[in-house]
Amino acid sequence: MVKIIPFTAVRPTKDKVGLVVSRSYEDYPVDELNTTLSYNPFSFLHIINPGYKFHHDISGERRFSLVKNRYLEFIEEDIFLKDKNPAFYIYKIKTRKGSFCGIFAGASIDDYRKNNIKKHEATLQTREKLFKEYLKTVGFNAEPVLLTYPDNNRIDEIIKSITVQNPEYEFATTDKAIHYLWKVDDGNIVSEIQQVFKELDCVYIADGHHRSASSNLLAEELQQKNPKHTGEEPYNYFMSYLIPESNLKIYEFNRMVKDLNGLSKEEFLIHLDEYFRIENRGADLYKPSKIHHFGMYLEGEFYSLYLRKNYPFTNSLSELDTQILFVTILKPILGIEDLRNDSRIEYGYGKYNTIKMKDSIDNGKFKVGFSLYPVKVSQMKQIADDGLKMPPKTTYIEPKLKSGLTIYEF
């Protein structure tokens, strides 16, 4: 049983929505960030980067307070307006590669605790606590957690019946995507959507493990401070975007390492031979075409690495290519034990990442690079079902949602 609720969103006005919404703050190169802040006074980036107003970098709790101030200013200036009634929001993105369509809703913290909302990624306590303090200070969440659910004909039919109507928003962004938003506040439709999700055993976090974990920490704190706690307060939910599994896109992260841990090229290849069949493909660019096949670029040449058929699998995590790479190469041969914090390893993603990886190695920034086959949704679900956690940077998942489109206050 999965509980979702409609919520009363704070949203940009129709005439400014395309100017307000932004990508995740970390996604902006410095030059683009400064240009946007300089020439677009309506950008949501002004809220989450409040120090720009004072030409000063501000961090910690002081920054959190200023974020709240900038947010209140956007409301005072009627850039943001709050809806009058709780609603679900159908959101569709059309890109050059395809389209995504799902539902903005409030997801239950209680479901998160009961594992009705399943996780596949480990989180860092320091990040959880930091973001919890951020949420507590600003009082809103502008970036939804991406949840995925099994394809469902009833939900598809409801969404189809709504998306043939005129949307609340229709706007373009500079990445050439077209965005549409429909507000769903009809009581019968809201109840029908809720009933469908009540019939599901679980949903899965696709992206946003730290955001959901931080929301859980905040709910625990506010519950303890509230003697009249009922379980229905806004802090008992977090904003989510629910999308069917078939509409989820998962891409791989490549791994690039700065040295061979003191080994020569020949010694390194001999070590690899224990677990892999190795083929030198020369200058021919090689990318894996199925699981348990790996690509490698070393000293100007591409290699294919095929996992030997007698490799011992013990559980769903052991079958994951990122885990195989870690336990057979990165840790025992290259000496990388901390995938999150070791400065010798970096990660890359994107359509042309194999070429970018090659260029970085040819330029001497890295010594060796590995390309992998993308994780399947079924693998991600199985690992979550088994209560296991993927290595960091295992999946790059789309859609990547805009900040500031719908805001959830608590």
Side-chain angles (χ1 to χ4, degrees):
M1 179 177 174
V2 175
K3 182 177 182 179
I4 62 170
I5 61 164
F7 65 100
T8 307
V10 175
R11 299 188 284 121
T13 56
K14 291 183 180 181
D15 61 325
K16 297 182 180 69
V17 60
L19 296 170
V20 170
V21 299
S22 70
R23 307 195 303 274
S24 175
Y25 177 76
E26 293 80 7
D27 194 41
Y28 285 84
V30 174
D31 289 348
E32 185 182 359
L33 176 65
N34 290 334
T35 299
T36 303
L37 290 169
S38 297
Y39 295 101
N40 180 5
F42 302 109
S43 174
F44 190 76
L45 292 171
H46 282 282
I47 293 177
I48 55 179
N49 189 42
Y52 180 81
K53 181 177 182 179
F54 305 102
H55 306 287
H56 186 71
D57 289 333
I58 302 172
S59 59
E61 294 183 9
R62 189 179 180 191
R63 173 177 170 265
F64 299 166
S65 297
L66 291 177
V67 167
K68 183 175 183 178
N69 290 345
R70 295 291 85 73
Y71 173 65
L72 293 176
E73 288 173 5
F74 269 50
I75 292 176
E76 292 165 1
E77 294 168 2
D78 293 330
I79 300 170
F80 281 137
L81 297 175
K82 188 169 185 175
D83 282 332
K84 295 181 179 180
N85 303 310
F88 290 129
Y89 300 87
I90 308 298
Y91 174 47
K92 183 176 182 179
I93 315 166
K94 289 179 67 175
T95 72
R96 289 170 290 178
K97 297 184 290 185
S99 64
F100 304 96
C101 191
I103 304 171
F104 283 119
S108 167
I109 292 289
D110 192 48
D111 281 340
Y112 179 88
R113 294 170 181 167
K114 291 178 178 178
N115 208 34
N116 294 339
I117 297 175
K118 295 197 173 186
K119 308 91 179 166
H120 67 262
E121 182 179 299
T123 54
L124 298 174
Q125 288 189 347
T126 52
R127 285 189 62 191
E128 289 181 25
K129 292 178 180 178
L130 180 66
F131 195 57
K132 185 262 289 184
E133 292 301 318
Y134 170 82
L135 293 175
K136 184 171 67 172
T137 302
V138 302
F140 67 84
N141 197 332
E143 294 186 352
V145 174
L146 182 63
L147 301 178
T148 189
Y149 61 89
D151 287 35
N152 186 284
N153 289 333
R154 285 172 65 190
I155 293 295
D156 290 346
E157 291 169 1
I158 293 170
I159 289 177
K160 185 176 180 180
S161 69
I162 293 167
T163 54
V164 296
Q165 304 170 25
N166 291 328
E168 286 276 314
Y169 296 148
E170 180 178 354
F171 64 96
T173 46
T174 54
D175 56 1
K176 298 183 179 180
I178 310 296
H179 305 258
Y180 307 86
L181 187 86
W182 293 264
K183 180 180 177 182
V184 182
D185 58 0
D186 181 284
N188 292 328
I189 299 176
V190 167
S191 295
E192 187 175 0
I193 292 173
Q194 288 180 300
Q195 183 58 41
V196 174
F197 280 92
K198 282 182 181 179
E199 295 170 5
L200 298 180
D201 293 329
C202 63
V203 293
Y204 295 81
I205 297 177
D207 194 16
H209 285 79
H210 281 94
R211 292 193 293 276
S212 52
S214 301
S215 296
N216 177 48
L217 285 181
L218 178 62
E220 289 177 352
E221 180 176 325
L222 296 181
Q223 178 179 340
Q224 292 172 2
K225 292 181 178 179
N226 183 3
K228 297 182 180 180
H229 173 82
T230 66
E232 292 305 318
E233 294 86 355
Y235 60 74
N236 292 289
Y237 301 88
F238 57 88
M239 186 168 65
S240 62
Y241 181 67
L242 296 121
I243 191 169
E245 292 173 7
S246 64
N247 205 196
L248 201 66
K249 305 298 181 186
I250 302 181
Y251 301 92
E252 74 282 5
F253 274 96
N254 291 346
R255 276 92 165 108
M256 295 163 286
V257 182
K258 294 182 178 180
D259 59 68
L260 295 183
N261 199 25
L263 299 172
S264 67
K265 173 184 174 181
E266 292 72 22
E267 291 170 331
F268 178 61
L269 291 173
I270 289 171
H271 280 293
L272 295 186
D273 189 71
E274 179 178 359
Y275 291 111
F276 300 94
R277 290 189 295 113
I278 306 169
E279 182 177 344
N280 186 329
R281 295 178 177 263
D284 294 337
L285 188 149
Y286 173 77
K287 289 186 66 175
S289 59
K290 61 181 180 179
I291 61 171
H292 306 337
H293 286 191
F294 302 81
M296 183 175 72
Y297 186 69
L298 174 65
E299 295 189 3
E301 296 178 313
F302 285 96
Y303 295 80
S304 59
L305 308 178
Y306 296 165
L307 187 68
R308 295 194 181 278
K309 295 186 182 298
N310 62 349
Y311 183 82
F313 298 123
T314 56
N315 56 27
S316 56
L317 179 60
S318 71
E319 298 181 22
L320 197 67
D321 283 349
T322 50
Q323 181 71 3
I324 293 169
L325 189 69
F326 175 63
V327 300
T328 62
I329 301 177
L330 297 180
K331 182 178 180 179
I333 302 175
L334 296 179
I336 295 173
E337 299 193 13
D338 187 344
L339 293 172
R340 293 184 185 275
N341 300 309
D342 195 316
S343 61
R344 295 169 56 226
I345 186 169
E346 292 187 19
Y347 306 88
Y349 66 87
K351 181 178 180 182
Y352 301 108
N353 186 56
T354 301
I355 297 174
K356 292 178 183 177
M357 180 179 75
K358 175 185 181 300
D359 290 343
S360 294
I361 294 169
D362 289 343
N363 292 335
K365 185 178 180 181
F366 299 97
K367 181 67 174 180
V368 63
F370 302 94
S371 54
L372 297 87
Y373 188 72
V375 171
K376 298 178 181 178
V377 173
S378 59
Q379 289 179 286
M380 182 186 77
K381 289 175 60 180
Q382 188 62 58
I383 286 172
D385 289 342
D386 293 343
L388 301 171
K389 299 294 184 289
M390 293 181 178
K393 302 296 184 183
T394 291
T395 57
Y396 180 84
I397 295 179
E398 290 184 350
K400 294 296 181 187
L401 302 170
K402 300 294 184 183
S403 298
L405 181 61
T406 61
I407 295 175
Y408 182 88
E409 294 185 328
F410 40 81

